[in-house]
Amino acid sequence: MTLLNETHDPSLRSWVDSANQEGCDFPIQNLPFAVFCRQDEENAMRGGVAIGDQVLDLAALQRLRPFIGLAAEALEAASQPYLNLLMSMGPSAWSALRLALSRALREGAEDAEAFAQCLVPMAEVRYDLPCVIGDYTDFYSSIHHATAVGKLFRPDNPLLPNYKWVPIGYHGRASSIDVSGQAFHRPQGQVKAPDAAEPSLAPSRRLDYELEMGILVGTGNELGAPISMTQAEDQIFGLCLLNDWSARDLQAWEYQPLGPFLAKSFASTISPWIVTLEALAPFRQAFTRPEGDPAPLPYLDSEHNRAQGALDIELECCLQTAGMAEQGLAPQQLARSNFRHSYWTPAQMVTHHSVNGCNLMPGDLLGTGTQSGPLPEEAGSLLELTQGGKQPLKLDNGEERLFLEDGDTVVMRGFCEAPGAVRIGFGEVRGTVLPARRREGE
Amino acid sequence: MTLLNETHDPSLRSWVDSANQEGCDFPIQNLPFAVFCRQDEENAMRGGVAIGDQVLDLAALQRLRPFIGLAAEALEAASQPYLNLLMSMGPSAWSALRLALSRALREGAEDAEAFAQCLVPMAEVRYDLPCVIGDYTDFYSSIHHATAVGKLFRPDNPLLPNYKWVPIGYHGRASSIDVSGQAFHRPQGQVKAPDAAEPSLAPSRRLDYELEMGILVGTGNELGAPISMTQAEDQIFGLCLLNDWSARDLQAWEYQPLGPFLAKSFASTISPWIVTLEALAPFRQAFTRPEGDPAPLPYLDSEHNRAQGALDIELECCLQTAGMAEQGLAPQQLARSNFRHSYWTPAQMVTHHSVNGCNLMPGDLLGTGTQSGPLPEEAGSLLELTQGGKQPLKLDNGEERLFLEDGDTVVMRGFCEAPGAVRIGFGEVRGTVLPARRREGE
């Protein structure tokens, strides 16, 4: 488990000026990892760390051999085109690298001039997935989302009996995950209107986003060796933003009895920057349950988790329609929420996932499920904001939405603030809906 | 789509004598692929082809540079520690390699003496997974299984309304798939008896096997580019046997509303040998639906699929208890079934999977779901054979089973027979249940 250390010191400032600006997502206290290259490069993906409006090129840094010991080993791993090796090295390696980077980027750092040669402006880079994602699991950890969605299907009985006991999750599709900027064709699939005699193949008309966090697994576990709550946080490399696009009409027709399938597997988008669990240490909160709710079963409980298992991460979801883009309007905020409302903590998700012996691997992605807050306006999906597609959402430019239209771009952001800590951010995850592809013969 | 050619000629015989014996799984008409090494070798996995009771070492063969053109390229890919590259090359490469191997292994082949140096007795090898399995999807394609299981939950309404329209499937866990010989600890998880006030953590007491086929994806498709029925069979590299172990009690408590999760992700076992779709050409059958059932939607229909989309693969499932092993008794057959009963063909599964644009990747595994036949004794799981764990199954040695006990070994086999064709087999997939691991503090 991660404690506060010198890298969190709020008085630290970087020799990269932009990192010291108020409201910057990437001050020296953050130091998230991504995989990137310059926009004009091919086959040159490598690890990078965000600092202000710059990316510190870890492959370039590595060539300077600036660190020794574990930090040097971790830097070498982090300079690769995928971060799986870094992720597999565990918290002491991550922590050594973070400390070395923090010292290298601080005001007054000895070799700042040499390190400055390793900076690339963010405006000039493109990103790739930070790692090979072997398996993707999506949880359902917001009780507010589960209740709101449950109400649409079962008004009298919105929450199923297992919800408060089991961190509900399901296996997702790894191949269709891409990094921020993903543009995908509106999926087609079988849909059946309640009054239709038969289903038909059609482009989804109830296309939605889901505002989620993604948890990137670090070292992982051997098959058959469950991860206990005391080990769980050491298994988490970091968190990112995740938009788990969903086709609600496909889902309604296909999901019984084995769960969502094609309604989810056409695209999922994550932010490029992985904020380490260590960077999130100042934003931990007590994990509590509403009065009267059952305590987690012992295998999902620990004193540490109760004391500081929750993470205070403010989330927002914005929409920019094609019309807004044409008019030069910025994305409009649809909702805000916060990951601290989650009914299960990241540690509980990791522990539950492996309790049957299932092996988690470095780079595996755990989605938290849609993070809706307790208030209706804190809903993390259009399904909730429009009451199941019945109440149009009025946008500032006069447009309306029940679900996503072609040309819509969804932008999600996340950041952390706490008294006595420097604000850190996740950057953004952005994705765009393209029109459905025409089928052969159309 | 694969037609009969000289490699299927029933009069072909191999200079490897054991391949010509009646009832052999691996005659020269089969030529399935696996990844193997000698039992005493480390870090030496490479591709192999089964011939009689021997494995043709493709890395050794490759060093002889016996082929030219596409067959040579395919052989190089097939000699790697994973077959993903071979799988990505597509049907013309697979077919060229098969033809070259068939000619090399035939009676009278010119360089038989040199090739014989590349044989390793099966008795002396161990296997690994044939490929990196990026994503694993499990379908539910036996209407007999779906009906039998549905009856246990909903006696009056066993089959859900979508079943005859949608090839129902769900994302599975890739990391816990292993090759035949897998021994795994009985999974623990949350269980809740109907009359219990609260769930508890316990080892599964309703551990089951599922008799399935696995479909290995070949070339795959780009994200956003669905695979049509006319392209679908060219995407299939081959088939294997799959035991999709299931913890029924974990499943009952966790599966609403998002489907099976930990009830499945603790272990899945596949056979080492992948029988190519080309080898299965003589065992194709017409794909028909029972009178009165709806025709597949046009995107899941093709003349070729109707004429010969089904595969006649005889399946059997056997159990060897620890007691039987001690008494020197062979595994006892519990059930036989046949993949031709499947309500959906492999081509339909591939096409449906990608209709939303989901990208299939070389080496992805599609499970067919439990292949129960129309008769009760053709059930592919204990859940069905014991009527939901109520009717004990009496074994020949006097033991009884409702579900699997510690020490039980499940062995599944598959083979194809047809008039005018030489019988080919899949070998076996074998797995063993170990006792639950003790938890910390027990």
Side-chain angles (χ1 to χ4, degrees):
Chain A
M1 59 201 73
T2 316
L3 302 172
L4 290 179
N5 56 44
E6 70 168 78
T7 66
H8 303 99
D9 181 347
S11 70
L12 287 185
R13 292 171 58 86
S14 173
W15 49 261
V16 179
D17 283 340
S18 57
N20 305 321
Q21 283 172 21
E22 190 79 19
C24 170
D25 271 355
F26 307 117
I28 194 169
Q29 290 81 2
N30 193 348
L31 303 178
F33 292 87
V35 159
F36 83 103
C37 69
R38 288 180 184 270
Q39 279 163 8
D40 56 0
E41 289 173 327
E42 277 180 40
N43 300 319
M45 286 290 167
R46 66 264 193 188
V49 160
I51 182 75
D53 59 7
Q54 305 287 311
V55 179
L56 181 66
D57 179 340
L58 296 181
L61 185 67
Q62 149 80 359
R63 287 191 288 272
L64 303 177
R65 310 273 171 221
F67 307 148
I68 55 166
L70 197 50
E73 287 175 45
L75 176 61
E76 186 172 352
S79 67
Q80 304 298 311
Y82 300 103
L83 300 180
N84 298 73
L85 182 58
L86 175 67
M87 291 166 166
S88 74
M89 293 176 76
S92 50
W94 312 331
S95 205
L97 179 57
R98 175 180 164 86
L99 179 60
L101 289 168
S102 171
R103 289 176 177 172
L105 288 165
R106 266 174 222 181
E107 271 183 356
E110 239 177 57
D111 298 311
E113 261 179 64
F115 299 155
Q117 302 302 312
C118 304
L119 295 179
V120 184
M122 278 186 190
E124 296 174 14
V125 311
R126 57 191 171 88
Y127 300 99
D128 202 346
L129 286 177
C131 53
V132 176
I133 299 172
D135 274 296
Y136 164 41
T137 296
D138 201 19
F139 283 93
Y140 195 52
S141 77
S142 162
I143 196 169
H144 309 295
H145 173 68
T147 304
V149 171
K151 261 184 197 155
L152 298 173
F153 292 97
R154 300 171 301 274
D156 301 330
N157 181 28
L159 212 59
L160 292 168
N162 56 9
Y163 189 86
K164 293 183 177 178
W165 299 97
V166 183
I168 296 289
Y170 70 104
H171 310 295
R173 180 80 193 175
S175 70
S176 51
I177 303 171
D178 205 349
V179 76
S180 183
Q182 186 174 30
F184 60 89
H185 296 283
R186 175 179 297 275
Q188 60 179 352
Q190 282 195 35
V191 292
K192 184 180 167 299
D195 56 349
E198 296 185 356
S200 60
L201 184 70
S204 170
R205 287 188 297 185
R206 292 166 69 91
L207 185 62
D208 204 351
Y209 59 80
E210 291 197 329
L211 174 63
E212 304 198 10
M213 301 294 307
I215 299 165
L216 279 298
V217 173
T219 321
N221 61 310
E222 291 292 318
L223 189 60
I227 299 166
S228 70
M229 281 296 284
T230 53
Q231 305 161 325
E233 289 194 353
D234 284 349
Q235 299 298 329
I236 297 172
F237 176 73
L239 275 72
C240 64
L241 302 167
L242 165 62
N243 183 349
D244 193 41
W245 309 90
S246 299
R248 306 295 182 190
D249 40 2
L250 274 57
Q251 188 173 344
W253 174 235
E254 76 171 1
Y255 92 107
Q256 288 286 13
L258 299 183
F261 179 41
L262 301 190
K264 301 278 192 171
S265 62
F266 55 92
S268 313
T269 318
I270 65 172
S271 59
W273 293 108
I274 313 302
V275 176
T276 62
L277 199 59
E278 187 170 357
L280 292 166
F283 311 103
R284 289 174 164 281
Q285 290 200 342
F287 167 70
T288 56
R289 282 280 170 83
E291 188 75 23
D293 275 11
L297 288 181
Y299 81 98
L300 292 175
D301 193 22
S302 80
E303 200 178 315
H304 171 70
N305 194 61
R306 267 174 275 138
Q308 47 174 315
L311 292 170
D312 182 357
I313 303 174
E314 189 73 11
L315 300 168
E316 69 164 348
C317 182
C318 303
L319 175 68
Q320 186 185 46
T321 68
M324 290 162 68
E326 272 170 35
Q327 297 158 43
L329 298 171
Q332 175 181 338
Q333 187 183 91
L334 301 187
R336 285 184 71 155
S337 184
N338 193 301
F339 184 42
R340 71 169 181 269
H341 300 307
S342 179
Y343 201 77
W344 301 101
T345 65
Q348 288 171 322
M349 295 182 218
V350 164
T351 296
H352 181 67
H353 201 317
S354 67
V355 71
N356 67 342
C358 180
N359 51 338
L360 303 183
M361 307 290 285
D364 280 354
L365 178 66
L366 313 185
T368 60
T370 308
Q371 290 302 310
S372 300
L375 302 174
E377 61 268 29
E378 293 170 336
S381 69
L382 284 174
L383 183 73
E384 293 159 85
L385 289 175
T386 66
Q387 321 265 331
K390 286 183 195 133
Q391 291 286 343
L393 197 70
K394 288 185 203 308
L395 303 175
D396 293 345
N397 74 339
E399 289 187 87
E400 291 187 347
R401 283 293 179 277
L402 288 172
F403 290 98
L404 295 171
E405 305 273 341
D406 294 347
D408 282 357
T409 292
V410 176
V411 182
M412 296 171 177
R413 299 193 187 94
F415 62 90
C416 301
E417 290 176 332
V422 174
R423 174 195 188 282
I424 66 172
F426 284 76
E428 64 173 35
V429 58
R430 175 181 291 259
T432 300
V433 181
L434 305 175
R437 279 171 66 113
R438 298 171 66 88
R439 285 181 54 78
E440 280 174 49
E442 281 181 343
Chain B
M1 56 201 74
T2 317
L3 303 171
L4 290 178
N5 56 43
E6 71 168 77
T7 66
H8 303 98
D9 182 347
S11 70
L12 288 184
R13 293 170 57 88
S14 172
W15 49 261
V16 180
D17 283 341
S18 57
N20 305 320
Q21 282 171 22
E22 190 78 20
C24 170
D25 270 356
F26 306 117
I28 193 168
Q29 290 81 2
N30 193 349
L31 304 179
F33 291 87
V35 160
F36 82 102
C37 69
R38 287 179 184 271
Q39 280 163 7
D40 56 1
E41 290 173 327
E42 275 180 42
N43 300 319
M45 285 291 167
R46 66 265 193 188
V49 160
I51 183 76
D53 59 8
Q54 305 288 311
V55 179
L56 181 66
D57 178 340
L58 296 181
L61 186 66
Q62 149 80 358
R63 288 191 286 273
L64 303 177
R65 309 274 173 221
F67 307 149
I68 55 166
L70 197 51
E73 288 175 46
L75 176 61
E76 188 173 350
S79 67
Q80 305 297 313
Y82 300 102
L83 300 180
N84 298 72
L85 181 59
L86 175 67
M87 291 166 165
S88 74
M89 293 177 76
S92 49
W94 310 333
S95 204
L97 179 56
R98 175 179 164 86
L99 178 59
L101 289 168
S102 171
R103 288 177 177 171
L105 289 165
R106 267 174 221 179
E107 270 184 356
E110 241 176 56
D111 297 311
E113 263 179 60
F115 298 155
Q117 303 302 313
C118 304
L119 295 178
V120 184
M122 278 185 189
E124 296 174 14
V125 310
R126 58 191 171 89
Y127 300 99
D128 202 347
L129 286 177
C131 52
V132 177
I133 298 171
D135 274 298
Y136 164 41
T137 296
D138 201 19
F139 283 93
Y140 197 53
S141 77
S142 163
I143 195 168
H144 309 296
H145 174 68
T147 305
V149 171
K151 261 185 198 157
L152 297 173
F153 292 96
R154 300 170 301 273
D156 300 332
N157 181 27
L159 212 59
L160 292 167
N162 57 10
Y163 189 86
K164 293 183 177 178
W165 299 98
V166 182
I168 296 290
Y170 70 104
H171 310 296
R173 179 81 192 174
S175 70
S176 51
I177 303 171
D178 205 348
V179 76
S180 183
Q182 186 174 29
F184 60 89
H185 295 283
R186 175 179 298 273
Q188 59 180 352
Q190 282 196 33
V191 292
K192 183 180 168 298
D195 56 350
E198 297 186 356
S200 59
L201 184 70
S204 172
R205 287 188 296 184
R206 292 165 69 90
L207 185 62
D208 204 351
Y209 60 79
E210 291 197 330
L211 174 63
E212 304 198 10
M213 300 294 306
I215 299 165
L216 278 298
V217 173
T219 321
N221 61 309
E222 292 292 317
L223 189 59
I227 299 165
S228 69
M229 281 296 284
T230 54
Q231 305 161 324
E233 288 193 353
D234 283 350
Q235 300 297 330
I236 298 172
F237 177 73
L239 276 72
C240 64
L241 303 167
L242 165 62
N243 183 350
D244 193 41
W245 308 91
S246 299
R248 305 295 181 190
D249 40 2
L250 275 57
Q251 187 173 345
W253 174 234
E254 75 170 1
Y255 93 108
Q256 287 287 12
L258 300 183
F261 179 41
L262 301 189
K264 301 280 191 171
S265 62
F266 55 91
S268 313
T269 319
I270 64 173
S271 60
W273 294 109
I274 314 301
V275 176
T276 62
L277 199 59
E278 187 170 357
L280 292 166
F283 311 102
R284 290 173 164 282
Q285 289 200 343
F287 167 71
T288 55
R289 283 279 170 84
E291 188 74 22
D293 275 11
L297 287 181
Y299 82 97
L300 292 175
D301 193 22
S302 79
E303 199 179 314
H304 171 69
N305 194 63
R306 268 174 274 139
Q308 47 174 316
L311 292 170
D312 183 356
I313 303 173
E314 190 74 11
L315 300 168
E316 68 163 351
C317 181
C318 303
L319 175 68
Q320 187 186 46
T321 68
M324 290 162 68
E326 273 171 34
Q327 296 159 43
L329 298 171
Q332 175 182 338
Q333 187 183 91
L334 301 187
R336 286 184 70 157
S337 184
N338 194 300
F339 184 41
R340 71 169 182 269
H341 300 308
S342 178
Y343 202 75
W344 301 101
T345 65
Q348 288 171 321
M349 294 182 219
V350 164
T351 296
H352 180 67
H353 202 315
S354 67
V355 71
N356 68 343
C358 180
N359 51 337
L360 303 183
M361 306 292 284
D364 280 354
L365 178 66
L366 313 184
T368 60
T370 309
Q371 291 301 311
S372 299
L375 302 175
E377 62 267 29
E378 293 169 336
S381 69
L382 284 174
L383 184 73
E384 294 159 84
L385 289 174
T386 66
Q387 321 266 330
K390 286 180 195 137
Q391 290 287 343
L393 197 70
K394 289 185 202 310
L395 303 175
D396 293 345
N397 75 337
E399 290 186 87
E400 290 187 349
R401 283 293 178 278
L402 289 173
F403 290 99
L404 295 171
E405 306 273 340
D406 295 347
D408 282 357
T409 292
V410 176
V411 183
M412 295 172 177
R413 299 192 187 95
F415 61 90
C416 302
E417 290 176 331
V422 174
R423 175 194 187 283
I424 66 172
F426 283 76
E428 65 173 34
V429 59
R430 176 181 291 259
T432 299
V433 181
L434 304 176
R437 280 171 66 111
R438 297 171 67 89
R439 286 180 55 78
E440 282 174 50
E442 280 181 342

